Amino acid sequence: MTAFANVIVHINGWPGSGKLTIARQLAPMLGAKLVDNHTLINPAEMLFSRGDPLYRSLRAAVRETVFDHIVRAEPAASYVFTDALSDDEFDTAQFEHYRVLAERRQARLVPVVLDCSEEENRRRLVSAGRAERHKLVDVSVLDWLRAKHSLQRFEHALALDVTDLTVDAAATRLARLISESLS
């Protein structure tokens, strides 16, 4: 796979769908740097509950600082971001930050939606190591999210169902889809 210059890949999927695991293999295939959503969330998560107003303000400040530095980074650098954005108003507005980042860098934005079956999603959600990384492991919360919301599917987003795919197969297929979309 050839590295791409100045591309921002935004991978959206339910918690536990395999975003980070796949992105860890995908980013080197694309010659990109990986910024997973917990890089941006965990500083706020460590200090405040999600209901605390300081949680959202710190989370926004961390994202703004990281994005500002990415704008000033090497112009040819590419990035892979992971996220879990639903169709609610707040999450829809969050994606706009990625559009603005791409505009500020004059980069090509490639939105991706990873999905998997509810059963597989529940199985993956409780896999070893997630709790230590401050990731969601409560299946009842995932069930509530999936019942109440849909995944945000952005305009021109690439879609990949990873239910039956190995990590290698998912990363390879996704790299090919991204390559085709950029051609």
Side-chain angles (χ1 to χ4, degrees):
M1 180 65 47
T2 309
F4 294 102
N6 202 18
V7 173
I8 295 174
V9 176
H10 179 271
I11 300 174
N12 188 40
W14 293 118
S17 61
K19 299 178 301 288
L20 178 56
T21 305
I22 293 165
R24 281 185 176 138
Q25 289 199 13
L26 176 67
M29 295 169 123
L30 303 178
K33 297 176 188 312
L34 173 60
V35 185
D36 80 286
N37 54 322
H38 283 276
T39 299
L40 304 177
I41 293 171
N42 284 355
E45 193 82 18
M46 301 296 248
L47 298 172
F48 305 105
S49 69
R50 288 190 179 219
D52 189 320
L54 292 173
Y55 171 86
R56 280 199 175 169
S57 67
L58 179 55
R59 187 172 166 187
V62 169
R63 181 188 56 242
E64 184 178 318
T65 299
V66 169
F67 282 21
D68 182 55
H69 282 73
I70 288 172
V71 167
R72 296 182 288 152
E74 167 63 37
S78 290
Y79 299 88
V80 173
F81 289 89
T82 64
D83 223 333
L85 300 178
S86 72
D87 58 352
D88 76 9
E89 217 173 283
F90 179 78
D91 283 359
T92 300
Q94 294 307 300
F95 185 70
E96 192 58 30
H97 297 285
Y98 295 94
R99 286 189 206 275
V100 170
L101 174 62
E103 285 175 14
R104 289 178 67 198
R105 279 190 59 82
Q106 299 179 347
R108 297 192 304 188
L109 177 62
V110 180
V112 174
V113 176
L114 287 188
D115 208 352
C116 64
S117 70
E118 287 185 43
E119 181 180 321
E120 180 64 11
N121 198 177
R122 294 171 106 231
R123 186 187 69 74
R124 292 177 184 182
L125 190 78
V126 296
S127 62
R130 283 185 57 83
E132 291 80 23
R133 292 189 308 270
H134 303 282
K135 292 174 162 242
L136 178 68
V137 293
D138 185 339
V139 173
S140 67
V141 173
L142 175 68
D143 289 345
W144 178 85
L145 285 169
R146 289 185 69 124
K148 184 171 169 67
H149 297 284
S150 297
L151 276 176
Q152 188 62 256
R153 298 185 186 274
F154 305 101
E155 186 178 5
H156 307 295
L158 304 175
L160 183 62
D161 187 321
V162 296
T163 302
D164 298 318
L165 297 178
T166 65
V167 174
D168 289 338
T172 300
R173 196 171 297 175
L174 194 49
R176 189 171 354 112
L177 287 170
I178 291 167
S179 178
E180 290 168 1
S181 77
L182 293 171
S183 297

